[in-house]
Amino acid sequence: MISLASIAEKVHAGKRITDDEALFLFNSRDLIAVGELAAAVNRRRNGDRVFFNVNRHINHTNICVNRCAFCAFSRTADESGAYCYDLDEIRNRATEAHAQGATEIHIVGGLHPDLPFDFYLAMLRTVKEVSLDLHVKAFTAVEIDYLAQLAGLSLAETLQELKGAGLGSLPGGGAEILGEAVRQKLCPEKISGERWLAIMEEVHRAGLKSNATMLFGHVESFADRIDHMRRLRELQDRTGGFQVFIPLAFQRENNPLGHLKRPGPGGVDALKTLAIARIYLDNFANIKAYWVMLGVKTAQVSLAFGVNDLDGTVVEEKIGHDAGAASPQTMRREEIADLIRKAGRVPVERDTLYNELRVY
Ligand code: V47
Ligand code: SF4
């Protein structure tokens, strides 16, 4: 018989929990017990230290050939609000970020119908010309699949080209919910969950690290979340290439999926999901609370629920804010460090690859 005590015993012994045990935790009403268990796992791994980084997001275009049901960001080329930055606009943002002490530029955007593959290479080179010290974390697995088609190259060749132009690692977007039934409801035009995983495997084989996300709090069940995490855990067993797991709380405004019956996950569900991720994903070093989607206060509280990473300064965020995120556009590094300190923990600035840069 599964119980909280039997799961806790296993977890304290350093053993992996099963899908049924994860489901038991999702169904538990004892949020604090689940959180304490996750916090114990995190303490064993990371002590009191909580990571954040100084970064800047650049969403180079919102023009996209897909129409994901949860997305408030994408536009067709002739729709009002559609935009596409040129290389000067990319350079200006990277220059400003570098001057403000950023170590990472995070670039993702829509699947633009007309931009050539060379534009993406030029975008990477443009950031590296600003400073070789800027790590470029760019392009979801969905974009990589699209770029390979544009380039007419294999995945391995595409990744080599991008690496040569300055790509440092990949963000974790586009994973949504990997299971096919839910994925069909969310984003039927997007690559399948199988393909997302296959691309990440190729990315890791190419010597690049990546992140992994999960969009939660919409039409999916707890079983779908567990299935998603199981697929990630299995791939991580094979490659070890994922750096961090990032559950993204669904924002409901300005997109077809969001309406009053689908209000997003709420605080209890968000905290529980982060905690269960920490317990279940025993081969992931880090669990990130992306404050943009969670809200700053929930992200801070999640530090008592197994989370050890608060993402970064972000600066200019469109995907969550177009969908109604109530969080600020940016947080200064001192603000993030202060949030961490007030949670009784030690703020550590990291680089994109989780090397420690400075203890605050
Ligand atoms: O894949 C889109 C999500 C993702 C909504 O790797 C939405 O460090 C909530 O992946 N409500 C892109 N989420 C962002 C992303 C990310 C963000 C921060 C850090 C990292 C990292 C990755 O945003 C998409 C999708 O899952 N998204 N619309 C929405 N309405
Ligand atoms: Fe396009 Fe990405 Fe939005 Fe889907 S989530 S519509 S692929 S920008």
Side-chain angles (χ1 to χ4, degrees):
M1 255 276 282
I2 299 173
S3 66
L4 259 175
S6 72
I7 296 173
E9 197 180 326
K10 235 175 149 173
V11 169
H12 289 311
K15 291 191 186 139
R16 182 167 271 194
I17 69 163
T18 64
D19 291 8
D20 285 344
E21 287 166 333
L23 189 59
F24 181 93
L25 295 178
F26 270 112
N27 285 320
S28 166
R29 288 202 185 176
D30 199 340
L31 172 68
I32 299 301
V34 177
E36 276 182 346
L37 194 54
V41 173
N42 178 47
R43 210 174 302 119
R44 198 163 64 205
R45 276 186 170 276
N46 301 301
D48 272 344
R49 301 155 85 81
V50 174
F51 285 127
F52 71 97
N53 76 346
V54 182
N55 66 351
R56 172 156 188 162
H57 285 215
I58 301 179
N59 301 126
H60 52 282
T61 182
N62 62 354
I63 301 174
C64 187
V65 298
N66 281 358
R67 275 282 166 275
C68 301
F70 52 79
C71 183
F73 169 69
S74 75
R75 303 279 189 282
T76 54
D78 54 3
E79 221 173 315
S80 83
Y83 73 88
C84 183
Y85 295 156
D86 60 24
L87 293 177
D88 283 341
E89 289 170 295
I90 303 288
R91 186 180 299 104
N92 290 343
R93 283 169 170 78
T95 304
E96 191 180 278
H98 186 246
Q100 288 167 353
T103 57
E104 169 188 290
I105 302 292
H106 172 145
I107 304 178
V108 294
L111 307 182
H112 194 289
D114 304 320
L115 287 174
F117 183 57
D118 279 351
F119 173 82
Y120 298 89
L121 298 175
M123 193 158 61
L124 294 169
R125 288 195 198 103
T126 298
V127 176
K128 295 306 268 189
E129 278 162 20
V130 170
S131 169
L132 286 174
D133 291 340
L134 282 172
H135 179 110
V136 192
K137 181 182 78 177
F139 312 132
T140 66
V142 177
E143 290 172 277
I144 295 292
D145 180 75
Y146 192 70
L147 294 188
Q149 288 176 44
L150 276 184
L153 296 173
S154 70
L155 275 180
E157 290 164 341
T158 306
L159 290 166
Q160 281 316 315
E161 291 276 321
L162 294 168
K163 253 177 102 167
L167 181 67
S169 65
L170 263 77
E176 323 313 354
I177 288 288
L178 292 168
E180 213 41 49
V182 174
R183 206 169 178 84
Q184 278 304 316
K185 291 184 200 158
L186 294 181
C187 46
E189 298 140 315
K190 205 169 241 176
I191 57 169
S192 68
E194 291 296 327
R195 179 80 180 146
W196 188 94
L197 289 162
I199 289 169
M200 282 308 189
E201 188 151 9
E202 195 72 41
V203 165
H204 298 165
R205 202 174 297 139
L208 291 165
K209 296 286 185 189
S210 79
N211 301 343
T213 58
M214 173 176 77
L215 180 65
F216 74 105
H218 42 83
V219 297
E220 87 292 3
S221 65
F222 292 150
D224 294 320
R225 295 183 197 175
I226 296 164
D227 172 73
H228 182 98
M229 291 195 289
R230 194 191 59 257
R231 291 168 192 239
L232 294 176
R233 192 169 76 174
E234 284 170 4
L235 179 53
Q236 180 75 332
D237 276 342
R238 287 207 298 282
T239 68
F242 288 122
Q243 306 203 92
V244 57
F245 180 61
I246 314 161
L248 297 171
F250 172 59
Q251 310 294 310
R252 71 171 185 204
E253 304 291 332
N254 308 321
N255 64 80
L257 201 63
H259 50 73
L260 286 180
K261 284 192 187 140
R262 304 225 169 91
V268 172
D269 191 15
L271 291 172
K272 210 193 261 181
T273 302
L274 287 158
I276 294 168
R278 179 59 287 165
I279 296 165
Y280 184 87
L281 294 173
D282 60 344
N283 53 5
F284 275 65
N286 305 292
I287 304 293
K288 184 193 279 187
Y290 185 46
W291 56 264
V292 169
M293 307 291 188
L294 288 167
V296 172
K297 289 180 182 175
T298 305
Q300 185 193 32
V301 174
S302 78
L303 299 179
F305 288 75
V307 164
N308 72 309
D309 185 4
L310 275 190
D311 199 78
T313 45
V314 179
V315 179
E316 186 183 25
E317 202 286 330
K318 296 183 190 294
I319 298 170
H321 287 93
D322 282 355
S327 53
Q329 270 292 335
T330 186
M331 281 205 286
R332 288 177 297 109
R333 66 177 94 185
E334 293 76 15
E335 282 180 88
I336 303 179
D338 192 50
L339 281 176
I340 295 170
R341 248 185 251 108
K342 285 185 172 145
R345 312 285 285 285
V346 179
V348 178
E349 184 187 334
R350 62 164 173 85
D351 67 13
T352 309
L353 300 175
Y354 287 81
N355 299 302
E356 296 187 10
L357 298 180
R358 178 176 159 196
V359 178
Y360 274 66

